Amino acid sequence: MQPHEFAQKWRTRAYEVTEEQAYQEHYQDVASLVGGFVPGQAGAPEGLTYQAGVKKVGTTDFGKADVFQPGHFIWEAKRAAKTDAARAKVLGGALQQATLYARDLGNPPLIVTTDFVELNVHTNFTGTAPKTFRLSLEDIEDDCPLEGTELTALQVLRAVFHDPNVLDPRLVRERITTEATGRVGEVARALVRAGHPKEQVAHFLMRVVFAMFSEDVGLLEKGLLTRLLERAKKYPEKSQSYFSELFGAMSTGGEFWGSDIRYFNGGLFDKHDGLPLTEKDADDLLSAAKLDWAEVEPAIFGGLFESSLEKEVRGQRGAHFTAVTEIERIVEPVVMLDLHRQWEEVRTQAQAVVEVAEIKALAEVGKGHTRVAEDTRAQARKQAIGILHKFQKHLGSVTVLDAACGSGNFLYMTLKRLLDLEHEVRLMAFQYGAGDFDIPPLVHPRQLLGIEIEDFAAELASVTLWIGYFQWNRAHGGQWPTPVLERLENIQHHDALLNEDGTEFQWPEATYTGLK
């Protein structure tokens, strides 16, 4: 089938059929666009199947994923919605359902949801924030690059069927992070050559970088920093005052060039003095600002930012990203293995409460006691939510210490994994009827403790944690706090072994400690 034939067919057929009637037909048509396999086809990968059985959370029943290919994807289809708002609700429900199925199906790297009019590919790679590729019928027909990526619709679909790793956010984010920090590094070296102290340059550019990130995630008005840099390029003699004015507004909240500015601070903007830029400096930062800073990879951002201040930056970059996999291998046994064991026990306990109640409820229904049955189910769900909420509170109290935290890579990766686990707990609670206000998010950067002898690296570790935290919240629909940044004391600028008087330095108490 050709893309235009596919689009023409499903523009009308999508509204004529139900999920049950057409999910296989639609899947087969999508597969035919890119040479993908269908269940039962000669040469199809082992395990590729329709209606993959999974245990349905909260009941004694089993659910079924519409299509499942081990190591590749879960595929969930829903009946076509007629409005954008209805479609968002339907596809959001499909994603929530598929996410709950994913654990029992080995957490494949991709989750595909569709209502036959729109097809969404959600990444589910371990240790990464999810990314969504939204494909309309027009996107498939035209096969142009999708918004926010260089990939076309058909390239995304080929990756779904043939090579999911093409969609791994880490690969995209590595390129963006390397390019972004490289461009900022050019400016850093130019400012040092102009006679500004290296530490002053580093602190100034750290604030610039956070402003770039803030603009791209919606914490600052879109295009505001771009306008500032365009003016700085045109009037370089005014550039220092432009930045001082912006950072001052971010320090307290207020107004800048007609735009409302949130209250940021948290210590990062205590000193809001800028530095003078040349026309070339402003142009280099303008080029950097046009990159998507929302996609920087926190696990390598800190190391690259530090190395970007040095002349040998290009020779150092490769090693930093390689270290991410090493960090993941430390985080798992030091922190997550124990927490996942605890979670399995809690999950099983909550499920058992609901399953036992369901058996009792069915018996009451058989006696004609419908109201008693509903009360039995409601009480069990409330009890299950309580069990889950207690474990979530535990996750919100866990502390993790890195006694040589550097620019915060290990702490960021740990924060990410804690957020992922809390999200899984909350999703299960939602299935039992809990609302957002019943079980609000608790995991926070304050739980990650660090010790670092270098002052700049310690500050950079804090910024890395905040960027990673905001990225995760943005990907999961979280709200922005006020102030945006909190003044935390969790990263200590100190020698990890000795006090200034030669006595032994006492580490803060922590639930888990990772040593480098």
Side-chain angles (χ1 to χ4, degrees), residues 80 113 163 180 220 225 231 234 241 290 327 334 429 438 486 491:
T113 58
D163 187 5
L220 284 177
L225 195 63
R231 295 283 294 179
K234 189 175 182 179
S241 64
K290 290 178 179 177
I327 296 168
V334 171
D438 299 320
E486 292 183 31
I491 308 295

Side-chain angles (χ1 to χ4, degrees), residues 397-406 408 410-412 414-415 418 444-452 458 461-462 465 488-493 507-516:
S397 68
V398 162
T399 52
V400 181
L401 170 67
D402 185 347
C405 70
F410 171 81
L411 295 178
Y412 158 70
T414 304
L415 174 63
L418 288 173
H444 191 274
R446 71 173 69 89
Q447 298 171 235
L448 286 304
L449 314 178
I451 303 170
E452 174 53 47
S462 294
L465 282 176
L488 302 177
E489 305 297 332
N490 54 319
I491 308 295
Q492 297 187 48
H493 169 217
W507 291 359
E509 292 186 6
T511 315
Y512 303 99
T513 301
L515 291 174
K516 293 183 180 179

Side-chain angles (χ1 to χ4, degrees), residues 36 65 82 98 121 133 174 193 218 238 336 338 383 394 428 442 453 479 490 506:
K82 294 185 178 180
V121 179
F133 299 87
E174 175 195 7
R193 287 195 298 270
K238 298 181 180 179
M336 299 312 300
D338 180 48
Q383 184 181 347
H394 170 62
M428 188 172 180
L442 298 176
I453 194 169
Q479 302 296 313
N490 54 319
Q506 295 299 312

